[in-house]
């Protein structure tokens, strides 16, 4: 259909198709590690793609996480880049239009998927790291964890640092990884604990960056997806059920049973 706009999406770390379009042919492109492995199909895709947008690794991670969590679909990084473009806000000009996101490929190793989920939760500020200073005495850590529990956050990991410090020798820096409901919960937890000046609590750099990015892109990054994923077998079964109800067929065989 000439009226259908075809939009290509590729990772910023491997923008080979964009470079090929600039030069009118495939060219050697400097690549960085990416979750979305790419294959430059310039000779075919260049005839049909109207424009190309790029997405960063953070949005690819979030997209894989959203699909697993909301749609119960396991999609590899490259297959989730279309959703990443929507969530990132790069395609806001499509609001109000009919948009089809192609979700393709489940070629992702189970151990990689586990890391992707953890990294995605960190990008979504549902796993956060904080540092706090407490008295290096029995009960000091217990007081901190009790205050954390009162905010509804769950402690996932704790580390102590008594050596590489420049503060009071009688105090210890505690590094804590916390699980929270969402970025709003993280901010409320931080606000509550930072009122206790004795802790000198602060976010880890990566968690601080993630929270700042979510604040700037909150509508796209944190909303629950309202996707209608069309699965071929579901469409097939629905048609068979309709025909059976109308008495057009007495029995049928699905493709899986052949």
């Amino acid at each position: 259909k000439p009226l259908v706009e075809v939009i290509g999406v590729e990772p910023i770390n491997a923008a080979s198709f964009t470079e090929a379009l600039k030069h009118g042919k495939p060219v050697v492109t400097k690549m960085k590690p990416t979750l979305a492995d790419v294959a430059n199909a310039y000779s075919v895709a260049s005839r049909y793609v109207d424009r190309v947008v790029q997405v960063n690794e953070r949005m690819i991670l979030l997209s894989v996480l959203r699909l697993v969590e909301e749609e119960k679909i396991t999609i590899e990084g490259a297959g989730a880049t279309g959703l990443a473009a929507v969530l990132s806000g790069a395609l806001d000009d499509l609001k109000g239009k009919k948009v089809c996101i192609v979700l393709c490929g489940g070629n992702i190793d189970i151990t990689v998927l586990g890391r992707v989920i953890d990294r995605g939760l960190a990008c979504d500020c549902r796993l956060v790291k904080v540092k706090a200073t407490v008295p290096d005495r029995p009960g000091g850590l217990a007081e901190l964890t009790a205050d954390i529990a009162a905010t509804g956050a769950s402690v996932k990991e704790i580390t102590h640092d008594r050596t590489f410090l420049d503060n009071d020798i009688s105090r210890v820096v505690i590094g804590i990884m916390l699980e929270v409901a969402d970025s709003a919960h993280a901010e409320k937890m931080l606000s509550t604990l930072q009122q206790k000046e004795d802790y000198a609590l602060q976010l880890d750099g990566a968690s601080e960056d993630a929270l700042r990015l979510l604040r700037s892109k909150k509508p796209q990054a944190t909303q629950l997806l309202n996707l209608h994923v069309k699965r071929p077998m579901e469409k097939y079964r629905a048609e068979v059920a309709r025909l059976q109800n109308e008495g057009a067929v007495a029995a049928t065989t699905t493709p899986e049973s052949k």
Side-chain angles (χ1 to χ4, degrees):
K1 279 187 176 183
L3 295 179
V4 175
E5 182 184 17
V6 179
I7 302 171
V9 185
E10 64 180 353
I12 291 174
N13 286 2
S16 58
F17 190 74
T18 299
E19 289 302 310
L21 288 177
K22 287 180 182 177
H23 294 85
K25 63 179 180 179
V27 294
V28 176
T29 306
K30 187 176 181 180
M31 303 284 193
K32 295 180 181 179
T34 176
L35 179 63
D37 296 333
V38 295
N40 193 332
Y42 174 80
S43 60
V44 176
S46 60
R47 290 179 287 170
Y48 302 104
V49 173
D50 297 297
R51 57 174 163 141
V52 180
V53 298
Q54 298 176 5
V55 292
N56 61 32
E57 296 300 297
R58 177 178 175 275
M59 295 314 302
I60 297 172
L61 289 165
L62 274 176
S63 298
V64 174
L65 174 65
R66 290 284 190 270
L67 289 168
V68 169
E69 191 171 32
E70 301 296 332
E71 292 296 328
K72 317 307 179 199
I73 301 174
T74 302
I75 299 292
E76 63 187 72
T81 54
L83 178 59
V86 173
L87 293 182
S88 70
L91 298 175
D92 280 354
D93 58 303
L94 299 181
K95 287 181 179 179
K97 299 180 180 180
K98 287 186 177 181
V99 178
C100 173
I101 303 174
V102 179
L103 304 174
C104 57
N107 185 25
I108 184 169
D109 186 81
I110 190 67
T111 56
V112 173
L113 179 61
R115 295 199 296 271
V116 168
I117 291 173
D118 285 342
R119 192 76 65 87
L121 289 171
C123 290
D124 209 19
C125 271
R126 290 154 66 187
L127 285 179
V128 296
K129 286 186 72 175
V130 298
K131 290 194 300 184
T133 304
V134 299
D136 192 5
R137 58 169 174 75
L141 178 59
E143 292 174 9
L144 173 60
T145 53
D147 286 336
I148 289 172
T151 68
S154 175
V155 175
K156 305 295 287 184
E157 184 179 284
I158 293 179
T159 59
H160 292 70
D161 185 359
R162 294 183 172 87
T163 306
F164 299 96
L165 310 174
D166 57 3
N167 59 358
D168 187 347
I169 194 70
S170 66
R171 302 182 71 79
V172 58
V173 172
I174 306 295
I176 309 175
M177 183 168 67
L178 300 169
E179 183 178 15
V180 292
D182 50 30
S183 59
H185 185 193
E187 294 202 80
K188 185 176 180 180
M189 178 270 297
L190 285 169
S191 175
T192 300
L193 294 180
Q194 285 173 342
Q195 291 177 17
K196 298 178 180 291
E197 297 181 1
D198 194 44
Y199 291 148
L201 187 134
Q202 58 184 344
L203 269 178
D204 174 83
S207 292
E208 187 174 17
D209 290 344
L211 190 57
R212 186 180 67 254
L213 286 169
L214 281 179
R215 286 170 181 155
S216 65
K217 292 185 172 66
K218 196 161 188 176
Q220 293 83 16
T222 61
Q223 66 184 1
L224 296 178
L225 298 182
N226 183 23
L227 297 177
H228 177 63
V229 179
K230 293 186 177 180
R231 302 175 176 86
M233 281 309 305
E234 289 185 359
K235 188 175 181 180
Y236 175 86
R237 293 191 188 99
E239 181 64 13
V240 169
R242 184 185 68 80
L243 293 172
Q244 286 178 331
N245 289 335
E246 294 176 357
V249 292
T252 188
T253 304
T254 64
E256 298 116 309
S257 62
K258 291 182 179 179

